[in-house]
Amino acid sequence: MSKKLAIHGGTPVKTNPFPVWPQYDDSEKEALLGVLESNVWWRTPGTRTLQFERDFAAYHGARHGIACTNGTAALEIVMSALDIGLGDEVIVPDYTFVATASAVLYAGALPVLVDIDPGTYCIDPDRVEEAITPRTKAIIAVHVAGHPADMDRLQEIAAKHKLILVEDCAHAHGSEWNGQRMGTFGAAGTFSFQQSKLMTAGEGGIIVTNDDALEIRLRSVHDCGRMPGEWFYDHFINGSNYRLSEWQGAVLSQQLARLDTQAVTRSRNAAILNRDLARIEGITPQVLDERCTRNGHYCYIFHHDPAAFGGLPTAEFIDAFNAEGIPTQASYPPVRKLDLFQSGEYLKRLSPEHRLEPHDFLTAELPVSDRAAAETVWLVHRTLLGTDDDMAEIVQAVVKIQEHAQELVPA
């Protein structure tokens, strides 16, 4: 291994590439050709997206699946179908993708942003309970990097306060809590199939639910307010066109078929990193709660302590890490610090009463969310599809940077 840091012209630790993403084979090609030659490209008369909905729902232990255009749309559909709207409040983690909060705003409700658990980076149930008011209607749990939020506590809180529990499972395809697949603990669970996700058709999403009555409303919202068995031009509730195409349904069926095999590889490699990275001073992998019986591993997260690297800021650590051939993706910024909230733009979506009130989360100290945003490193999940040697090189890159950290610390 070169002693000189790659960012300073040395040879990178990793010179051969990690597996590529997305992955596909002849099964996707044949599925797409089948759609092409069928002349049925539209979901409504088609069968491929319908079959994917059924298969994906069954895989997660749900009775119903409603495929839609993307994960953001899935959340918006759920908010609408649950009649969440003006004057309502929905408790959301501050550490998530903006869509978790913007879907609430889209419905006209206020997303109340709370801090996260320092080990898992998922919503902290204690902070959830503190944030409940008479206007609170729902809680959205986000399963960060594929690790489930504490569903035991969240279910208890939701039941105690008569709140709706929704799961944002954009990272959690196949993840499990006490042997139960994610998306089935609350009223509904939403998934994303955007290109970086564990299954992909470039874009796409799905909602799963075990609630028969809710399924009808979800499907109606996603299909222009239509109702099953009624005339095509009858529209019974306010909906929109969120339907997924037959092309994407065909591709996603093939992606689902290989998800388990990939999950085994990701879990094995994550376990290697959990063991070896934890031996390095200043590196703390995301906690694996014993009730998490499977983490889908949308990415691999670890905390970098600058103090253990001679004061090296995490942003500079990541630059050096990338230069050594290890691909990462950006951590989420705290939602409350986004321009959408700090500028007051979000107020335009709220009721007059909500608009005029102070929203304490805008200025609140949420130290865990802030620390996670500033000091975590996110390895892209395709790295976890690599070999034992690939995992060893990830660890070597961290060690190399630590040994040369003083060369990187800003003067």
Side-chain angles (χ1 to χ4, degrees), residues 175-340:
S175 291
E176 296 176 356
W177 183 258
N178 287 324
Q180 182 177 336
R181 294 266 165 92
M182 309 320 295
T184 59
F185 289 84
T190 65
F191 294 79
S192 169
F193 303 124
Q194 176 267 344
Q195 180 156 318
S196 72
K197 301 305 189 293
L198 296 170
M199 292 171 46
T200 184
E203 286 284 6
I206 197 169
I207 306 154
V208 299
T209 184
N210 281 315
D211 186 323
D212 296 342
L214 180 58
E215 185 267 343
I216 292 172
R217 286 189 61 83
L218 290 165
R219 197 169 292 283
S220 182
V221 171
H222 117 293
D223 190 22
C224 306
R226 296 184 174 99
M227 286 292 180
E230 299 291 344
W231 184 45
F232 185 77
Y233 288 117
D234 268 341
H235 306 274
F236 296 88
I237 64 174
N238 185 45
S240 190
N241 179 359
Y242 292 106
R243 298 184 303 265
L244 193 72
S245 74
E246 286 289 275
W247 303 101
Q248 292 159 297
V251 168
L252 288 166
S253 289
Q254 312 315 312
Q255 295 275 301
L256 179 61
R258 64 172 70 89
L259 180 62
D260 272 339
T261 300
Q262 293 171 336
V264 169
T265 302
R266 290 190 186 100
S267 293
R268 179 183 66 83
N269 284 330
I272 293 171
L273 293 178
N274 285 344
R275 180 194 68 203
D276 294 347
L277 287 175
R279 294 170 178 164
I280 302 172
E281 182 184 359
I283 299 297
T284 306
Q286 181 185 27
V287 165
L288 180 63
D289 190 299
E290 63 181 8
R291 294 167 293 178
C292 173
T293 46
R294 176 163 151 184
N295 183 341
H297 286 296
Y298 164 66
C299 60
Y300 181 91
I301 297 179
F302 63 84
H303 176 259
H304 159 261
D305 181 1
F309 286 71
L312 179 66
T314 301
E316 279 73 14
F317 172 91
I318 291 172
D319 288 343
F321 202 38
N322 294 160
E324 296 296 340
I326 315 300
T328 61
Q329 64 188 75
S331 167
Y332 292 138
V335 175
R336 74 189 192 286
K337 294 185 176 180
L338 297 175
D339 288 345
L340 168 65

Side-chain angles (χ1 to χ4, degrees), residues 23 51-52 70 72 81 99 114 145 159 176 198 203 213 254 293 309 342 347 352 374 376-377 379 396 405 408:
Q23 294 191 354
Q51 188 61 52
F52 169 68
N70 52 64
T72 301
V114 301
E176 296 176 356
L198 296 170
E203 286 284 6
Q254 312 315 312
T293 46
F309 286 71
Q342 290 299 312
L347 295 170
T376 57
V377 180
L379 289 170
Q396 288 169 24
L408 295 166

